């Protein structure tokens, strides 16, 4: 069997019949956000794409939060760059989310941000933020992916092991699975395996079991905790914002919060604590924590809204990077993608965009390999895909990792490295001036939304703008 392929291009929802790659089966481990993006890409190159998902199938009707994604109960947003990339893979997705009540608005014009020195400028910046509940986003993506002919999602299967080519296994890569409620194992062979199981990945152990070196793993934990709740709040015609944010900022502001409208009358409020500060989950404590913050929007939602369900809390926010790109040997037909490579602190909102970048990278590499297959007439073009992908995926990860960990290292109790101390001082000086310098805020916002590299915050022009500003005034109530 041969698969016709060139990957999904911008605005292109069909496969290009011009190239026959000759690849039969791909398996994706993980049916969450990153796995669904990967499955979408793979449909351009493989006759069969099987997604292995450990959670049970969703109940028809309103989307529910999957047990395997604890962070899904907390506020989510697709940053501008991430929204662009996902839209390329799923044309019309943005309009579909809007129809589901998820707002798309100019980031600065529709978001209130309170820094320690004042409110951020509300001047439009020319790019949007897509607010959405994680469950709604995955529901829309899942329906799109399952509608594609090559895709089959197999729910309720637990991945027991990954069989990789080596002394103990001479065949193609294969996945050993069993039902969550059963003991009968099944071996699923594939031309390519994509591991996208997220923070709970067991890939390092599977690699070691197959005789590969144990990868280095770097962990930076700012001891950040989320406590979130959903509220119904009737629309107010006088309210000109759809999101509000008070960031934590080392070393003096360990408490913050974020609120986002995720439906016509639904709001998700997440209280944040860093350096071991833990927002309470009881009614009185939750309210008191919000009231102690300087941003009044959070108390407004609590006092005027009707809560839906309990407060949900998570401590799973540590930054963890498995350095697969540094391994001397890597399975040639294995891809690790998304949080399975690098799980970022979700408070900074960049993880979904990084996963989208990696999905597009996979698309580009598969397109190159498919062209090689078409030109040479051999099906071995996949044999260098894995190592190449891991190296280039690491390059996409470095910038977000630097931004996330520079902030979180500052919360750690032991003395930070000199580079971290310098970065922390610079970020403190930068954020102190953002409310009073729209041009500097625009640089910051574009970097935050991953439209520009973090290095744009340290260009000679940016440094000159920062140095030329007068002493920062004390925060004033809006």
């Amino acid at each position: 069997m041969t698969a016709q392929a060139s990957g999904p291009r911008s605005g292109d929802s069909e496969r290009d019949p011009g190239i026959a790659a000759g690849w039969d089966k791909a398996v994706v481990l993980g049916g969450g956000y990153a796995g669904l993006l990967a499955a979408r890409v793979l449909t351009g190159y493989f006759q069969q794409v099987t997604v292995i998902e450990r959670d049970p199938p969703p109940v028809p009707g309103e989307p529910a939060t999957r047990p395997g994604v604890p962070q899904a109960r907390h506020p989510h947003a697709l940053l501008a760059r991430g929204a662009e990339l996902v839209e390329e893979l799923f044309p019309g997705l943005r309009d579909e989310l809007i129809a589901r009540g998820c707002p798309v608005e100019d980031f600065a014009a529709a978001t209130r941000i309170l820094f320690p020195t004042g409110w951020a400028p509300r001047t439009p910046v020319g790019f949007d933020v897509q607010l959405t509940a994680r469950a709604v986003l995955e529901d829309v993506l899942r329906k799109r992916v399952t509608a594609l002919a090559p895709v089959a999602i197999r729910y309720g299967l637990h991945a027991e092991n990954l069989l990789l080519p080596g002394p103990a296994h001479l065949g193609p890569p294969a996945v050993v699975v069993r039902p969550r409620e059963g003991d009968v194992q099944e071996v699923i062979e594939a031309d390519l395996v994509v591991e996208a199981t997220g923070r709970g990945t067991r890939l390092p152990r599977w690699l070691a079991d197959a005789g590969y070196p144990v990868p280095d793993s770097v962990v930076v934990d700012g001891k950040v905790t989320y406590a979130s709740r959903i509220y119904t709040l009737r629309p107010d015609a006088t309210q000109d914002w759809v999101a509000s944010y008070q960031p934590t900022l080392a070393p003096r502001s360990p408490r913050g919060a974020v609120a986002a409208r995720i439906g016509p009358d639904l709001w998700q409020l997440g209280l944040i604590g860093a350096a071991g500060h833990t927002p309470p989950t009881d009614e009185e404590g939750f309210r008191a924590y919000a009231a102690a913050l300087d941003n009044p929007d959070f108390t407004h939602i609590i006092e005027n809204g009707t809560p839906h369900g309990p407060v949900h809390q998570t401590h799973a926010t540590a930054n963890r990077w498995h350095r697969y790109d540094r391994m001397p040997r890597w399975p040639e037909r294995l891809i690790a993608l998304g949080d399975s490579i690098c799980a970022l602190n979700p408070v900074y909102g960049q993880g979904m965009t990084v996963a989208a970048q990696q999905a597009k990278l996979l698309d580009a590499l598969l397109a190159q390999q498919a062209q090689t297959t078409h030109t040479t007439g051999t099906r071995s073009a996949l044999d260098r895909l894995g190592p190449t992908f891991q190296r280039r995926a690491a390059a996409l990860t470095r910038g977000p990792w630097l931004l996330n960990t520079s902030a979180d290292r500052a919360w750690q109790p032991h003395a930070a490295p000199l580079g971290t101390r310098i970065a922390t001082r610079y970020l403190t000086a930068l954020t102190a001036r953002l409310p009073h310098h729209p041009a500097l805020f625009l640089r910051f916002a574009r970097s935050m939304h991953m439209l520009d590299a973090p290095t744009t915050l340290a260009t000679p022009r940016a440094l000159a703008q920062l140095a030329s500003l007068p002493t920062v005034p004390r925060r004033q109530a809006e």
Side-chain angles (χ1 to χ4, degrees):
M1 297 175 68
T2 59
Q4 295 176 334
S6 92
R9 300 164 299 184
S10 176
D12 182 7
S13 60
E14 300 296 334
R15 289 180 290 173
D16 186 339
I19 300 175
W23 302 324
D24 295 336
K25 300 176 183 179
V27 172
V28 180
L29 300 182
Y33 169 81
L36 292 171
L37 296 190
R40 169 63 187 91
V41 168
L42 295 172
T43 60
Y45 306 94
F46 293 85
Q47 290 282 12
Q48 301 175 42
V49 178
T50 302
V51 180
I52 305 299
E53 171 54 46
R54 65 180 181 179
D55 287 333
V59 178
E62 284 299 310
T65 299
R66 295 186 300 112
V69 191
Q71 70 270 29
R73 298 186 183 277
H74 307 287
H76 277 70
L78 266 176
L79 303 182
R81 181 57 181 150
E84 289 176 357
L85 295 173
V86 177
E87 183 73 16
E88 290 177 7
L89 292 172
F90 299 91
L93 178 74
R94 170 162 288 187
D95 289 339
E96 193 170 347
L97 288 171
I98 292 174
R100 297 280 290 266
C102 302
V104 177
E105 302 284 352
D106 183 277
F107 168 67
T111 305
R112 282 162 53 90
I113 305 176
L114 183 60
F115 293 105
T117 52
W119 293 90
R122 296 284 301 279
T123 306
V125 289
F127 55 85
D128 295 333
V129 62
Q130 169 80 72
L131 303 175
T132 178
R134 176 67 173 260
V136 172
L137 175 60
E138 289 193 1
D139 183 61
V140 172
L141 293 177
R142 189 180 301 110
K143 289 177 179 177
R144 286 286 200 98
V145 169
T146 53
L148 298 170
V151 175
I153 300 182
R154 299 186 60 184
Y155 294 98
L157 285 183
H158 183 76
E160 291 278 282
N161 199 4
L162 189 58
L163 303 180
L164 300 170
H169 179 70
L170 301 179
V175 182
V176 181
V177 301
R178 66 168 175 82
R180 287 175 62 91
E181 305 297 332
D183 297 322
V184 180
Q185 292 186 340
E186 177 185 355
V187 177
I188 304 174
E189 293 188 346
D191 294 302
L192 182 71
V193 174
V194 176
E195 212 285 1
T197 57
R199 283 182 176 269
T201 178
R202 294 191 292 165
L203 183 56
R205 196 193 80 183
W206 292 340
L207 289 167
D209 290 346
Y212 288 84
V214 177
D216 294 331
S217 295
V218 185
V219 179
V220 177
D221 190 357
K223 303 295 183 184
V224 176
T225 300
Y226 259 124
S228 300
R229 198 176 203 181
I230 292 178
Y231 291 83
T232 297
L233 189 66
R234 288 187 300 176
D236 183 349
T238 66
Q239 183 174 311
D240 63 348
W241 51 275
V242 297
S244 190
Y245 183 34
Q246 181 173 326
T248 59
L249 184 64
R252 297 184 179 87
S253 302
R255 296 189 175 198
V258 59
R261 182 164 67 83
I262 58 173
D265 59 354
L266 285 181
W267 287 79
Q268 201 162 31
L269 171 60
L271 305 184
I272 307 166
H277 288 251
T278 303
T281 58
D282 64 284
E283 186 78 38
E284 182 177 347
F286 191 82
R287 181 184 295 266
Y289 194 100
L293 299 173
D294 294 321
N295 187 330
D297 300 336
F298 313 127
T299 299
H300 169 77
I301 292 172
I302 293 174
E303 291 182 346
N304 296 281
T306 301
H308 276 251
V311 177
H312 295 279
Q313 187 183 84
T314 184
H315 303 273
T317 59
N319 304 277
R320 184 184 301 272
W321 190 357
H322 299 295
R323 297 308 306 262
Y324 299 136
D325 56 299
R326 294 178 175 175
M327 290 177 60
R329 291 190 299 121
W330 178 263
E332 295 184 334
R333 296 196 179 201
L334 171 66
I335 299 294
L337 183 143
D339 284 359
S340 290
I341 302 176
C342 181
L344 297 169
N345 186 342
V347 74
Y348 305 111
Q350 295 188 320
M352 290 199 299
T353 297
V354 173
Q357 289 180 322
Q358 293 171 358
K360 292 294 289 184
L361 169 63
L362 178 60
D363 178 25
L365 292 178
L366 282 171
Q368 294 174 7
Q369 304 290 56
Q371 181 62 58
T372 300
T373 298
H374 177 68
T375 301
T376 63
T378 175
R379 297 180 56 174
S380 63
L382 285 173
D383 287 346
R384 293 299 302 164
L385 181 65
T388 302
F389 177 88
Q390 300 308 146
R391 288 194 300 269
R392 292 180 61 177
L396 296 173
T397 303
R398 289 191 186 100
W401 174 263
L402 176 64
L403 281 180
N404 282 249
T405 59
S406 293
D408 282 359
R409 285 184 195 275
W411 295 119
Q412 297 181 333
H414 52 270
L418 177 61
T420 297
R421 296 199 301 272
I422 293 173
T424 299
R425 290 171 186 161
Y426 179 75
L427 286 173
T428 300
L430 175 70
T431 54
R433 287 160 173 79
L434 292 179
H436 316 287
H437 198 300
L440 204 59
F441 177 72
L442 176 59
R443 284 180 179 270
F444 173 81
R446 288 187 61 85
S447 177
M448 173 183 172
H449 278 260
M450 300 178 66
L451 295 169
D452 295 332
T455 52
T456 60
L457 296 175
T459 62
R461 182 176 179 83
L463 293 172
Q465 290 175 335
L466 189 60
S468 66
L469 294 176
T471 302
V472 177
R474 294 176 60 87
R475 178 192 290 165
Q476 298 178 352
E478 189 178 62

